[in-house]
Amino acid sequence: MTADIAGVSGAPGAGSVQPTRRRLVLLAAGSVFLIDAGTKALAVGTLQPGRTVPLLGNWLVCELTRNAGAALSMAADRTVMLTLVVLAVAAAIAWIGALVRSPWWALGLGTILGGAAGNLVDRLFRAPGPLRGHVVDFLAVGPMPVFNLADLAVLAGVVWLIALSLSGFPFNGAARNAESHARS
């Protein structure tokens, strides 16, 4: 199949190709990153470690903690390795995000990228030092472990991409029923 037949060349009559959604990826990532950084700064500036502040009774509370590990404090003794893994994942998502054509996929990828960047900045610049920094966590829902908005963004983005994938929304932004149009 040639580029003209596939509609890739952009020549008149060749069909149109959806533009990449880099800006949407960056807008979503930047928004999540800024909100995460702001809420972490607010938490560090106002909360005292070990002291719980109820927001919605005992269901949602603020509690300032520093997490050396991954989710659920797993691998707390492997902070450097976690930092390098998150850096590699963020780079891969940024690369994929530069190619995405679907605005829905761009939103999900940007949300994950912003959350990963928020926690990566903690790992790089917070105590006890570069690549070993502890992530600021400050929200707890019921008996769940303490987390932050970056964690929530990564989880929401992953769930969003899984839902898109299961629903048949293509990464390239083409119509979901493009195959049926091609047959007619």
Side-chain angles (χ1 to χ4, degrees):
M1 177 180 290
T2 68
D4 285 340
I5 293 172
V8 173
S9 72
S16 63
V17 173
Q18 295 285 333
T20 59
R21 303 294 184 187
R22 286 183 210 135
R23 286 187 185 142
L24 184 55
V25 171
L26 292 175
L27 179 64
S31 297
V32 167
F33 178 80
L34 290 174
I35 292 168
D36 178 63
T39 56
K40 285 177 181 174
L42 184 63
V44 168
T46 60
L47 297 174
Q48 296 175 3
R51 200 160 198 200
T52 302
V53 177
L55 295 177
L56 293 174
N58 287 332
W59 186 78
L60 177 64
V61 299
C62 285
E63 179 182 341
L64 183 62
T65 63
R66 309 291 176 132
N67 183 359
L72 307 176
S73 296
M74 293 185 301
D77 59 338
R78 306 262 189 232
T79 306
V80 173
M81 181 197 66
L82 288 171
T83 303
L84 295 174
V85 167
V86 171
L87 186 59
V89 169
I93 291 171
W95 180 72
I96 292 168
L99 304 174
V100 69
R101 296 188 183 283
S102 164
W104 301 111
W105 279 85
L107 184 62
L109 289 168
T111 301
I112 295 168
L113 182 59
N119 283 340
L120 187 59
V121 165
D122 283 2
R123 298 258 183 233
L124 293 174
F125 299 109
R126 292 200 187 267
L131 298 179
R132 297 177 293 118
H134 296 182
V135 174
V136 173
D137 288 334
F138 59 92
L139 291 171
V141 176
M144 293 177 53
V146 182
F147 60 95
N148 60 43
L149 293 183
D151 299 334
L152 189 59
V154 169
L155 177 62
V158 167
V159 169
W160 180 251
L161 294 184
I162 290 170
L164 288 176
S165 185
L166 292 175
S167 298
F169 278 90
F171 177 80
N172 66 0
R176 286 175 39 182
N177 57 1
E179 288 180 20
S180 65
H181 290 297
R183 290 187 211 136
S184 51

